[in-house]
Amino acid sequence: MSVQITPGSAGDIDDDTKRMAMVCWSNDLDRVWPTMILATTGAASGMEVDVFFTFWGLRVLQRNDKRITGTNWMQRGESLVDPGGTNRLKLGKINYGGAGTRMIKKLAKDYKVADPGELMEMAMDMGVRMYPCQMTMDLYGFKRDDFIDGLEPSMGAASFLDMAADADITFFI
Amino acid sequence: MSVQITPGSAGDIDDDTKRMAMVCWSNDLDRVWPTMILATTGAASGMEVDVFFTFWGLRVLQRNDKRITGTNWMQRGESLVDPGGTNRLKLGKINYGGAGTRMIKKLAKDYKVADPGELMEMAMDMGVRMYPCQMTMDLYGFKRDDFIDGLEPSMGAASFLDMAADADITFFI
Amino acid sequence: MSVQITPGSAGDIDDDTKRMAMVCWSNDLDRVWPTMILATTGAASGMEVDVFFTFWGLRVLQRNDKRITGTNWMQRGESLVDPGGTNRLKLGKINYGGAGTRMIKKLAKDYKVADPGELMEMAMDMGVRMYPCQMTMDLYGFKRDDFIDGLEPSMGAASFLDMAADADITFFI
């Protein structure tokens, strides 16, 4: 499939460059991990990679030194029960009050698998583009300085679908 | 990628029209919501959008005034513990016996985000095509009048894959 | 989209053959089931189908007569709380200590829907290629003889993305 250069997309992509567009919808450790492994692997293979962080996934972009976000009590309450930041991600199953998550992280370390926080930094260094979802930001009351550095500007679903329509691989994770 | 007009697909799609094919597999509020946001956003951007409702996702198409479905006790029991209809969707996490779901719905309302029921009506008005999975209908003992109005005929996985193979964006949500 | 024959891919694929590449990320019964239904349906429709089993999904490939896997206590412990093999898959919701899973399996049997184990055998007979993820194998301490017969060689995410980039349909399930 030939990559179509649409207005607004990078002008230096030639016809043979493959593209991947992913939705990071979740802040479960077991979903963020494969998302970032696919992102870094794709970039290492020469792909253009775009990741759109939306719904629960927006919390992945939260700074680890930021514990509470939002401006009203509902938003602040949500941030308390659904912690953000790559250091606080929990397994979506067999979490066992954190013991399962700690064990999987220990296993990963023993086998030299980078953790999601490290993978996100690698991804940004490799040119992976990460976009916060503007609608979710509004819902959560997120401000720009609640986020880690290095992200692309926030955008809406329409902009993401534009990218996805020109991608060779599309995943909702 | 040029859209290939295959026998059976709409004849009025020209080469530049982008297509999106999604599987709506879940009746969790937090999955149905992005599915319908992507569907309406895609349609608003001029895309052809097909959504295949299967497995738990079939329950999204259930009429809100229909509480119990199925013909045998297993099917009727399943409909009791896994409520259908857009008004009864629950968050897949932090539901807290309904409190979390109510709070997110309240937040969405405050920020003018349409709820899934409204989005489904908008989607149909915008030409998004929604198909119930025939195999899941059989398993659940669903009858056509258990469903909301405006759906496409039910179909099987083979027909959906035909559509997906010609789509620019494919998501399993 | 024309299928590009890359070195290493089957040489007998002509331009019209559609391809599907799926990530099987989960060992929940309700996710494995649609994965294998899509895989067999795709193959029956003449598609080339590749399925990459990673993270929790690796356990789907575990032999049913193998209960414990891994070489250290963490890996063996994980295999105890997260049982592998198609006979032990559980629903991701309304499992109710196994009662919900048994009921859905009974319903499927009544309506002549093959179970995931049968579907996997059918899939392999139909030419669906199934690949274990090498990184997950290392993490879990899986050995080749922990797996069912008939699988392709294990591979990494880069090889899978190569396949996915040439596929018409990509799903993360």
Side-chain angles (χ1 to χ4, degrees):
Chain A
M1 159 159 92
S2 69
V3 174
Q4 289 158 22
I5 308 300
T6 53
S9 73
D12 59 347
I13 304 176
D14 67 43
D15 266 13
D16 294 335
T17 304
K18 297 288 186 177
R19 302 186 66 168
M20 174 161 58
M22 293 188 279
V23 179
C24 176
W25 162 86
S26 169
N27 61 339
D28 286 346
L29 176 62
D30 40 344
R31 288 185 173 270
V32 177
W33 221 325
T35 308
M36 295 321 300
I37 288 172
L38 290 172
T40 48
T41 305
S45 308
M47 287 186 189
E48 297 279 322
V49 183
D50 295 301
V51 191
F52 184 53
F53 291 79
T54 189
F55 221 100
W56 313 115
L58 191 72
R59 293 244 169 254
V60 177
L61 303 179
Q62 188 174 325
R63 298 158 55 114
N64 281 312
D65 59 5
K66 194 92 193 175
R67 184 62 191 83
I68 297 176
T69 60
T71 51
N72 64 41
W73 71 267
M74 282 188 296
Q75 292 164 338
R76 295 169 73 86
E78 207 281 332
S79 77
L80 274 171
V81 297
D82 183 37
T86 48
N87 289 349
R88 295 191 192 87
L89 306 179
K90 289 180 291 191
L91 288 177
K93 67 176 213 179
I94 62 165
N95 180 51
Y96 298 135
T101 294
R102 275 193 300 276
M103 204 188 71
I104 295 276
K105 281 184 162 178
K106 169 88 170 65
L107 264 178
K109 202 163 203 170
D110 291 353
Y111 287 88
K112 317 281 184 221
V113 176
D115 70 37
E118 292 164 339
L119 287 167
M120 283 180 76
E121 284 185 32
M122 286 169 54
M124 286 191 283
D125 287 347
M126 297 166 89
V128 171
R129 292 177 294 255
M130 309 205 220
Y131 309 84
C133 167
Q134 182 60 53
M135 185 199 274
T136 311
M137 282 180 67
D138 294 344
L139 272 185
Y140 282 172
F142 254 67
K143 297 188 217 71
R144 189 73 197 185
D145 69 355
D146 294 327
F147 290 131
I148 55 173
D149 295 328
L151 304 179
E152 300 296 312
S154 60
M155 65 182 187
S159 303
F160 172 70
L161 287 182
D162 257 6
M163 296 173 184
D166 288 330
D168 302 89
I169 303 177
T170 55
F171 287 135
F172 186 102
I173 307 181
Chain B
M1 161 157 97
S2 69
V3 174
Q4 288 158 23
I5 309 299
T6 52
S9 73
D12 59 349
I13 304 178
D14 66 45
D15 265 15
D16 295 335
T17 304
K18 296 289 185 176
R19 302 185 65 167
M20 174 161 59
M22 293 187 280
V23 180
C24 177
W25 161 86
S26 168
N27 60 341
D28 286 346
L29 176 62
D30 40 344
R31 289 185 172 271
V32 178
W33 221 325
T35 308
M36 296 320 301
I37 288 172
L38 290 172
T40 49
T41 305
S45 309
M47 288 185 188
E48 297 280 321
V49 182
D50 295 299
V51 191
F52 184 52
F53 291 79
T54 188
F55 222 98
W56 312 116
L58 192 71
R59 293 243 170 254
V60 177
L61 303 179
Q62 189 175 324
R63 297 158 56 114
N64 281 312
D65 59 3
K66 194 92 192 175
R67 184 62 192 83
I68 297 175
T69 60
T71 52
N72 65 40
W73 70 266
M74 282 188 296
Q75 293 165 336
R76 297 169 72 86
E78 206 281 332
S79 76
L80 274 172
V81 298
D82 184 36
T86 48
N87 289 348
R88 293 191 193 87
L89 307 179
K90 288 179 292 191
L91 289 176
K93 68 175 210 178
I94 63 165
N95 180 51
Y96 299 134
T101 294
R102 274 194 300 275
M103 203 188 71
I104 295 277
K105 280 185 163 179
K106 170 86 169 66
L107 263 178
K109 202 163 202 171
D110 290 353
Y111 288 86
K112 318 282 184 221
V113 176
D115 70 37
E118 292 164 339
L119 287 166
M120 284 180 76
E121 284 186 33
M122 285 168 55
M124 286 190 282
D125 287 347
M126 297 165 88
V128 171
R129 291 177 294 255
M130 308 205 220
Y131 310 83
C133 167
Q134 182 61 50
M135 185 198 274
T136 311
M137 282 180 67
D138 293 345
L139 273 184
Y140 281 173
F142 254 67
K143 298 189 217 72
R144 188 75 197 182
D145 68 357
D146 294 329
F147 289 131
I148 54 172
D149 295 327
L151 304 177
E152 300 296 311
S154 60
M155 65 182 186
S159 303
F160 172 71
L161 288 181
D162 257 7
M163 294 172 186
D166 288 332
D168 301 89
I169 303 177
T170 55
F171 287 136
F172 185 101
I173 307 182
Chain C
M1 160 159 93
S2 70
V3 173
Q4 288 159 24
I5 309 300
T6 53
S9 72
D12 59 348
I13 304 177
D14 65 44
D15 266 13
D16 295 335
T17 304
K18 296 289 185 177
R19 302 186 66 168
M20 174 160 58
M22 291 187 281
V23 179
C24 177
W25 163 85
S26 169
N27 60 340
D28 287 345
L29 176 62
D30 40 344
R31 287 185 173 272
V32 178
W33 221 325
T35 307
M36 296 321 300
I37 288 173
L38 290 172
T40 49
T41 305
S45 309
M47 287 184 189
E48 297 281 321
V49 182
D50 295 300
V51 191
F52 184 51
F53 292 79
T54 189
F55 222 101
W56 312 116
L58 192 73
R59 293 246 170 252
V60 177
L61 303 179
Q62 189 174 323
R63 297 160 54 117
N64 281 312
D65 59 4
K66 194 92 192 174
R67 184 62 191 84
I68 297 177
T69 60
T71 52
N72 65 40
W73 70 267
M74 279 188 298
Q75 292 166 337
R76 296 168 72 85
E78 206 281 333
S79 76
L80 275 171
V81 298
D82 184 36
T86 48
N87 289 349
R88 294 191 194 87
L89 307 179
K90 287 179 293 191
L91 288 177
K93 67 175 211 180
I94 63 166
N95 180 51
Y96 298 133
T101 294
R102 276 192 300 276
M103 203 187 73
I104 294 277
K105 280 184 163 179
K106 169 88 169 64
L107 263 178
K109 202 166 204 168
D110 291 353
Y111 287 88
K112 318 280 185 222
V113 177
D115 70 39
E118 293 165 337
L119 287 167
M120 284 180 76
E121 285 186 32
M122 286 168 55
M124 286 190 282
D125 288 346
M126 296 164 90
V128 172
R129 293 178 292 256
M130 307 205 222
Y131 309 84
C133 167
Q134 183 61 50
M135 184 199 277
T136 311
M137 283 181 66
D138 294 344
L139 273 184
Y140 282 171
F142 254 68
K143 297 189 217 74
R144 188 75 197 182
D145 69 356
D146 294 329
F147 289 131
I148 54 172
D149 295 329
L151 303 178
E152 301 296 311
S154 61
M155 65 182 187
S159 304
F160 172 72
L161 287 182
D162 257 7
M163 295 174 185
D166 288 330
D168 302 88
I169 302 177
T170 54
F171 288 135
F172 186 101
I173 306 181

